[in-house]
Amino acid sequence: MADKPVALAQKRLMDVKLGELPSWLGTRDFTPNGLLGSVRGGYERYFNKYINVKKGGIGGVAMFLVGYIALSYLWEYDHIKHDRWRKYH
């Protein structure tokens, strides 16, 4: 059975074909409220998938912490790189 056709604006990014990508990006809302709404929606999907489950484990929280540590390291990498001890010879 074929799936019902879905409007391009209603598709998720992973469902969009490469040829449809420019027109799909044109349907997105890039205003501050639209960007805030998309971040909020992503947070809610992550929370409901990994945190708010019946048989939860440490996996979702650990994934969040690892991501936070990786981003913090990337943001501070230039500072860390310049603080290394250098050999002068």
Side-chain angles (χ1 to χ4, degrees):
M1 303 228 26
D3 292 332
K4 294 181 181 178
V6 178
L8 187 61
Q10 300 299 321
K11 287 185 179 181
R12 289 187 174 181
L13 177 60
M14 296 303 292
D15 298 332
V16 175
K17 293 187 171 120
L18 194 57
E20 299 173 333
L21 189 61
S23 55
W24 180 81
L25 283 173
T27 63
R28 300 290 97 190
D29 185 13
F30 290 110
T31 62
N33 282 337
L35 293 174
L36 183 64
S38 64
V39 169
R40 186 180 303 127
Y43 170 76
E44 288 176 3
R45 279 192 300 274
Y46 174 82
F47 186 82
N48 288 331
K49 186 174 183 179
Y50 293 108
I51 308 297
N52 192 19
V53 293
K54 288 183 181 178
K55 290 186 177 180
I58 193 72
V61 176
M63 188 186 320
F64 179 76
L65 289 175
V66 167
Y68 175 73
I69 290 168
L71 279 175
S72 297
Y73 181 78
L74 286 174
W75 286 332
E76 295 294 328
Y77 181 72
D78 289 335
H79 178 70
I80 293 170
K81 185 173 71 172
H82 291 297
D83 285 345
R84 282 189 266 179
W85 286 61
R86 306 229 185 256
K87 276 188 171 178
Y88 298 100
H89 46 104

